[in-house]
Amino acid sequence: MNLLRRLTATVVAAVLTGVALVAVAPAALAAEVYPAPASGSWTVDGRAFGHGRGMSQWGAQGAALQGRTAAEILAFYYPGTTTGSIAGEYVKATLAAFAPSDTVTVWSPANRSIRMGELNKEVVLPPGRWTITVAGQDITAVKRDVVNGPIVDRRSYRGVLRLESQNEVGMIIAKNQSDTTGRWYRGDLRIEPTSGAAFNVTNSLPIEDYLRSVVPRESPASWQPAALQAQAVAARSYAWWKVRNGQVLCDTTSCQVYYGRGVANAAGALTTSYEDARTDAAIAATGGQIRLWNGAVAFTEFSSSNGGWTAAGSVPYQVAKADPWTGTAPGDTVTSWTAELSVARVAQSCPANGTLRTMVVTGRTGNGPLGGRISQVRLECSTGNATVNTPAFGLRSSWWQPRATAPVLGSPAVSAATIDHGGQVSVGVTPNVAMSWTLTVVDRSTNRQVLRTTGSAQAGVRFNATWFGTYDGRAASDPQFVGPGSYALTLVGTDAAGRTSNVVTTTVAVRQPADAAPPAAVPLVGDGGYVPLTPARLVDTRTTFQALGSGARAEVPVLGRGGVPTSGVTAVVLNVTAVGTSVAGHLRVWPAGSAMPNASVLNTSPGRTQASQVTVGVGGAGAVSVFNAIGTTHYLVDVLGYYTSSTATSARYVAVDPVRAMDSRTAAAIAPGATRSVDVAAALGLPASSLSAVTVNVTTTRATGNGYVVAYGSGALPSTSTVNLVPGADIANRAVVPVVDGRITVAVQGSSSHVVVDVVGWYGTRGATTGALFTPVQPARVLDTRSGAPVGPTGQVQATVTGGAVPVDATAVVGTVTAVDHTAPWTHVRVWPAGRPLTGTSDLNATRGFTQANAVVVRVGDGGAVRLYNDQGTTHVLLDVAGFFR
């Protein structure tokens, strides 16, 4: 023991061999959890230096400064012990500085004669330097008169070799023959062979002489006499307990620090003393005094500082109690301290050299600040857990605590990265303090919150925050589980002080469920008249988190919803929007129950919201089918109107050459939240009363940000969209819009934008006999230039649309035009009847890097054909047909 280093728990256990050990149960407390910090170390606050049992050396100094006597100090730290005495006793210490050794050199102080030989066979020899080596039990000693001089004598011994000078003056020992200085020890030195060439060096001397080196090493000689006297009695008792229990003393902190008398030169003169007159006085004042328990010498352990609370031990007089003196003496820097504890140092206790993840304090004594000394920790490592009792990890004591930081969710682990539809995933963590927690799940494709769930957790008790694949706000008729896609899980804790923990995040992929069986197909019904509706949203998968997976199909019921009757409906006009798409692909829409067509209605692109009008026949179960080619995407379906076989209550269609009804570029852009009234009757040159609806092409251009445009009749703004804004791109979409008093309304939401409205056809009043009726067909592709050359700049291509499902007497066809792989930064496509002059308005605007589609209604030209025009660069064009007018 010394002022700087103290016994570890394992050493103390060795010291107590032969003493009945009493197990001390750790105090019950909430576990403290400390995840391994990214910095590589914890800043810890600590108390005490050493084990804390018995006397606190700094406490003894504090008590002496307050006028306490040595007797009072000893009675406090060893309660129940009494004063005893010994006289003329010897102790023997193993000198770790020289053991085990394979050679040493010994000479006498002040050129004295040397008494040397096997035990009890010593003879007196002249002074000189004896260099000693061992082979088994055989000892060889060779003599030189000076350092590095010639050998002048050689002697052999067997067993233990003893060397001394008379009157306990002592001997000087050095490690090497060439050393010019050595350590002077009082008493005798003994060479004790162990095995091979190794041997131990021991020092036997009177106990009072032994203490002359111990006491100033353990307590500074400048301290108060009462403190030094208490140290002398404690050191004497400790040494004598070792002797009485058959143990050999050592010269390290594992016993008591013992340096010998001092350092001497080759001539045997003392050059540095390890003894001090002040501690010699304390030893003399307490000459022979020891502490007794039940008549036997007490085991008087001591340490530098007990931190303000003595620690209980294995004997009755080692009790835990508050210490009023420790921490009061000036210069005390070890009762309370701060240090850095490295993760690497703690990880040395992990099984199989594992990586430390979390340190959990599972037991403390409960005595004093910081909850007292740590009695046990659990280390959670990559290779498993390890339990460490009374851990110091190289610190001054086991009484320490990492500084309070924000609450931490430690050792996070996720049960799965991918789950099935309807599966579950858990995020497991260990909180370092009691806290409440919140698990949030977000659909990464739309950034919409799927679910928020909360709970509470105890410090150190690992818990799982589990998502069962469900979502908040689900109606009874909604699907129970989310659809396929990527979902972000975020777990965060909050402690009682309102501080938030680290955020644990993970991403989980949900697999696509199997498609439901399609409904039975039904025949398509033709020759229907049109009934416009106030736009109504039928489906928004963002709200039910039912994204459509790769190669997946879903049915959208349309009959009896959004103003569509339950019977007599032949086809519906829809606006389909793709949102939150993961990869570029396309959507197909067709009558439910019939075979999936090879025709697409809308192309999808990541980071871009795209919409397209779709006119489609009503299939089995009163539904239409939607198919996603690849990746995942959310989709919205708005109904704009329907065709019915009841021509008396519906309107017929009249196709016209495109007429521009509004172009905001001639004035100011439309601000977000603003509306514009568009006089479509005037643009067509028709009485307002003759119109019930118009088919328009709505184009957005020069948008300042994201948002959308809604084209509707009048009144309140519908919760639907017509075309989405894309900054830096011109985007167009067809819409069939109710006409009110000869006008339609255009509203802009989100960002300002210019808007262009072209009228391409109109519907008369209900029951009128002028105009054409609509017949849906199974969607089919009638043109795809990808089988040949693309259409060049200002180039044209022709497509025959009649024949097969579209009869030769059809006056117009309804379908989708798509631009693919265009090379110019932007271009537009026009579609018009073959044999007629090139139309002056565009049907589709496209930007390089994006496949763009738009609905078209175009009159049938010469030879049952239509023509298509590309404005800039080269592009491939596709044309799909979904129905016709006649």
Side-chain angles (χ1 to χ4, degrees), residues 487-508:
Y487 296 86
L489 278 64
T490 301
L491 180 65
V492 65
T494 305
D495 68 6
R499 299 178 300 176
T500 56
S501 73
N502 57 308
V503 178
V504 178
T505 61
T506 189
T507 299
V508 176

Side-chain angles (χ1 to χ4, degrees), residues 145 164 198 281 416 446 486 498 509 562 605 633 739 839 842 849 885:
D145 289 331
E164 65 170 345
T446 62
S486 180
S605 181
T633 188
V739 176
T839 180
S842 62
F885 288 99

Side-chain angles (χ1 to χ4, degrees), residues 622-769:
V624 299
S625 293
V626 180
F627 169 84
N628 176 44
I630 191 171
T632 60
T633 188
H634 284 285
Y635 61 97
L636 289 61
V637 178
D638 302 324
V639 61
L640 310 181
Y642 63 91
Y643 290 95
T644 174
S645 57
S646 175
T647 56
T649 58
S650 58
R652 297 176 182 244
Y653 180 71
V654 179
V656 298
D657 291 333
V659 176
R660 183 144 293 173
M662 185 190 78
D663 186 346
S664 68
R665 292 175 297 183
T666 62
I670 304 177
T675 62
R676 293 279 176 90
S677 179
V678 182
D679 191 340
V680 293
L684 291 168
L686 296 172
S689 60
S690 64
L691 299 176
S692 63
V694 289
T695 298
V696 294
N697 198 55
V698 180
T699 305
T700 64
T701 182
R702 305 177 192 172
T704 60
N706 295 319
Y708 61 92
V709 172
V710 183
Y712 61 104
S714 65
L717 180 71
S719 59
T720 59
S721 60
T722 301
V723 61
N724 293 86
L725 303 178
V726 177
D730 296 345
I731 305 295
N733 193 21
R734 282 284 197 278
V736 181
V737 185
V739 176
V740 179
D741 295 329
R743 294 177 175 273
I744 65 172
T745 303
V746 173
V748 174
Q749 297 292 305
S751 302
S752 64
S753 178
H754 283 287
V755 179
V756 179
V757 177
D758 297 319
V759 182
V760 298
W762 55 276
Y763 294 86
T765 58
R766 296 188 183 190
T769 58

Side-chain angles (χ1 to χ4, degrees), residues 118-143:
E118 297 172 7
L119 284 177
N120 301 319
K121 298 179 181 179
E122 303 91 342
V123 296
V124 177
L125 299 173
R129 294 170 60 88
W130 290 93
T131 299
I132 299 166
T133 57
V134 172
Q137 293 298 305
D138 296 323
I139 300 175
T140 300
V142 297
K143 178 183 177 183

Side-chain angles (χ1 to χ4, degrees), residues 58 61-62 65 223 325 327-333:
W58 275 103
Q61 170 69 350
L65 288 169
W223 278 9
W325 300 323
T328 64
D332 181 355
T333 61

Side-chain angles (χ1 to χ4, degrees), residues 188-574:
D188 69 31
L189 295 178
R190 302 182 188 189
I191 308 301
E192 301 182 4
T194 53
S195 62
F199 57 87
N200 288 330
V201 179
T202 62
N203 175 210
S204 179
L205 74 168
I207 193 170
E208 300 302 304
D209 285 346
Y210 164 77
L211 293 177
R212 294 179 68 183
S213 174
V214 170
V215 175
R217 302 277 70 74
E218 292 289 353
S219 296
S222 61
W223 278 9
Q224 294 294 302
L228 298 178
Q229 292 168 19
Q231 179 67 70
V233 174
R236 184 183 293 114
S237 302
Y238 178 86
W240 190 238
W241 183 93
K242 298 273 283 186
V243 172
R244 296 296 294 171
N245 284 275
Q247 298 180 21
V248 177
L249 286 167
C250 60
D251 60 348
T252 69
T253 57
S254 295
C255 302
Q256 302 182 112
V257 178
Y258 171 55
Y259 279 9
R261 181 178 180 184
V263 177
N265 59 21
L270 188 68
T271 58
T272 301
S273 176
Y274 294 146
E275 301 172 351
D276 190 283
R278 292 165 293 185
T279 51
D280 284 350
I283 295 166
T286 61
Q289 186 182 133
I290 59 173
R291 301 299 295 182
L292 300 176
W293 175 263
N294 288 339
V297 61
F299 183 57
T300 52
E301 288 186 284
F302 49 87
S303 60
S304 177
S305 169
N306 60 27
W309 199 286
T310 62
S314 59
V315 291
Y317 45 87
Q318 292 178 342
V319 298
K321 60 181 179 178
D323 181 351
W325 300 323
T326 295
T328 64
D332 181 355
T333 61
V334 294
T335 293
S336 180
W337 44 267
T338 298
E340 294 295 314
L341 175 59
S342 74
V343 173
R345 175 63 179 82
V346 178
Q348 292 175 6
S349 298
C350 283
N353 297 318
T355 299
L356 179 67
R357 292 174 174 166
T358 304
M359 176 174 62
V360 184
V361 177
T362 54
R364 286 187 182 271
T365 62
N367 298 327
L370 309 178
R373 292 175 179 268
I374 299 175
S375 55
Q376 190 176 85
V377 297
R378 181 178 72 249
L379 305 182
E380 297 177 355
C381 310
S382 61
T383 50
N385 293 350
T387 297
V388 181
N389 296 322
T390 59
F393 296 129
L395 299 173
R396 289 170 169 170
S397 72
S398 62
W399 192 347
W400 48 270
Q401 184 180 57
R403 284 187 174 175
T405 58
V408 175
L409 298 175
S411 302
V414 182
S415 63
T418 302
I419 60 174
D420 291 326
H421 175 74
Q424 65 186 57
V425 61
S426 296
V427 180
V429 292
T430 303
N432 65 333
V433 295
M435 63 177 74
S436 60
W437 56 264
T438 301
L439 176 68
T440 305
V441 182
V442 171
D443 181 353
R444 293 185 66 201
S445 64
T446 62
N447 288 323
R448 291 195 174 196
Q449 182 174 296
V450 176
L451 173 138
R452 183 178 183 272
T453 185
T454 61
S456 60
Q458 301 176 29
V461 179
R462 193 166 183 81
F463 71 91
N464 288 330
T466 302
W467 176 44
F468 295 94
T470 58
Y471 53 97
D472 291 335
R474 183 179 72 87
S477 59
D478 290 335
Q480 183 177 359
F481 302 107
V482 300
S486 180
Y487 296 86
L489 278 64
T490 301
L491 180 65
V492 65
T494 305
D495 68 6
R499 299 178 300 176
T500 56
S501 73
N502 57 308
V503 178
V504 178
T505 61
T506 189
T507 299
V508 176
V510 176
R511 295 186 181 95
Q512 169 72 35
D515 288 346
V522 298
L524 298 179
V525 178
D527 296 328
Y530 186 70
V531 178
L533 296 171
T534 298
R537 183 146 290 170
L538 302 181
V539 172
D540 184 348
T541 63
R542 297 174 300 177
T543 63
T544 56
F545 306 100
Q546 300 301 304
L548 202 55
S550 181
R553 187 200 80 252
E555 272 66 60
V556 179
V558 293
L559 295 188
R561 303 180 65 207
V564 179
T566 57
S567 62
V569 178
T570 61
V572 287
V573 178
L574 308 173

